[in-house]
Amino acid sequence: MRKIQKAVIPAAGLGTRFLPATKATPKEMLPVVDKPAIQYVVEEAAAAGLSDVLMITGRNKRALEDHFDRNYELESALTRKGDAERLVRVQESSDLATMHYVRQGDPRGLGHAVLCAEPHVGDEPFAVLLGDDLIDPRDPLLTRMTEIREREGGSVVALMEVAPEQSHLYGCAAVEPTRDGDIVRVTGLVEKPDPGEAPSNLAVIGRYVLDPAVFGVLHGTEPGRGGEIQLTDALQQLAADEKLGGPVHGVVFRGRRYDTGDRGDYLRAIVRLACEREDLGPDFRAWLRDYVASEL
């Protein structure tokens, strides 16, 4: 089984839920404590051994390319000041992986964004990481997913248990158990099911490891919910017919996940990550306790 070396990060969305902050700044560049959200995602890919990263961008996303490029003027200024600590932090983003970029042009859904990666990926298996989901590095979800792909073939999706009233916000999976407690076999997928119609309480979150056969399926996938080409619809076809590209498995994730796609969850993610930082946590937690006590 071929090892996975390439990661695809769709980043062409307009970020309308964060307006006006995202009027001129890509939502992926909004800081989570002191790093842009997109850097956490690239760090996760690199930690899983995926050294080749393709970012699917769009208009007004040049800041993404600049962030992962070298900034010689800034590095020179920090060197002259003797600020070695900040120099290392600035250089980290440009040393994480080999970065590539392609514009989506006409954003027509996640499935269409994945199709934009076909010329770069070719016939290799690859990972897809969505920037709204930040996975704590202490919980190596992507590494586990690549292990399952290399053992079982086909495609692998990340699943998370959700409350029934939240199932309409996700793609939900019909599953069968396997010999591994955290692994299920996916037999069907429904994109954002109506209340009460979800096949299970397991929702797809923003990590995928895909067989290249998904490209052929996506080429024939008609626009679905919202008039967009849905990756969920293509995965449903793969799950229903293994001959198209092998089985579809799911890794049930019970670790730490930070959702930055919603304003409230974005703020909660910042607080949680700041509290856990060695350099910020002690003082910030003390202030937070005093603040909450005074407000309550």
Side-chain angles (χ1 to χ4, degrees), residues 70-80 87 90-91 94:
R70 297 291 297 272
N71 187 327
Y72 293 101
E73 294 84 355
L74 177 58
E75 292 177 23
S76 178
L78 292 171
T79 300
R80 289 195 303 270
L87 177 62
V90 165
Q91 291 174 332
S94 55

Side-chain angles (χ1 to χ4, degrees), residues 10-25:
L14 297 176
T16 53
R17 286 181 289 182
F18 283 84
L19 286 170
T22 50
K23 179 180 178 182
T25 302

Side-chain angles (χ1 to χ4, degrees), residues 19 29 36-37 65 82 94 97 109 114 118 133 191 232 258 284 291:
L19 286 170
M29 289 300 296
E65 298 183 37
S94 55
V114 170
E118 185 178 16
D133 284 331
E191 177 66 20
T232 303
Y258 311 105
F284 184 65
Y291 175 75

Side-chain angles (χ1 to χ4, degrees), residues 148-172:
I148 298 304
R149 153 67 201 191
E150 289 165 9
R151 188 182 80 188
E152 303 288 348
S155 298
V156 185
V157 299
L159 301 172
M160 178 185 69
E161 295 176 342
V162 298
E165 60 270 19
Q166 292 184 311
S167 60
H168 70 284
L169 301 173
Y170 299 88
C172 292

